[in-house]
Amino acid sequence: MITVTIYSDENRKSYGFEISGHALSDVYGRDLVCAGASAIAFGTVNAIHHITGIQPQIEQGAEGGYLSVNLPTDLDAKTDDKLQVILNTMVTQFYTMTASYSDYIELKYKMV
């Protein structure tokens, strides 16, 4: 199962996420849940850098199945607003996936 953990503060603003595990919803190369989760995650990382100029701190597993993205919390209001829109879009996409594929992907939140 893929676990997506969103790191949020007390104001429900997100400043990072972690994705771990494998969906195993089909054979390697045909796993649409894995492909969808990967597309959402890497699209989000690319959008963060492209739209806000923030260079996320990224940690990846050598064999796949793990991505950790940490973001700064000391941003000006305009940059933070853009970041939150990107992250909220990502969360909405993952939420949509979990609604259809809950046997293969779950969404969690962790307060930081």
Side-chain angles (χ1 to χ4, degrees), residues 80-93:
D80 191 51
D81 287 346
K82 290 178 185 179
L83 176 62
Q84 295 309 310
V85 168
I86 295 165
L87 293 174
N88 285 332
T89 301
M90 177 194 75
V91 169
T92 301
Q93 291 172 318

Side-chain angles (χ1 to χ4, degrees), residues 4-15:
V4 179
T5 305
I6 309 299
Y7 296 109
S8 299
D9 68 11
E10 66 277 358
N11 297 314
R12 301 186 74 148
K13 290 187 176 187
S14 300
Y15 293 102

Side-chain angles (χ1 to χ4, degrees), residues 24-37:
L24 304 175
S25 68
D26 204 338
V27 297
Y28 182 80
R30 292 187 184 185
D31 191 331
L32 295 179
V33 176
C34 182

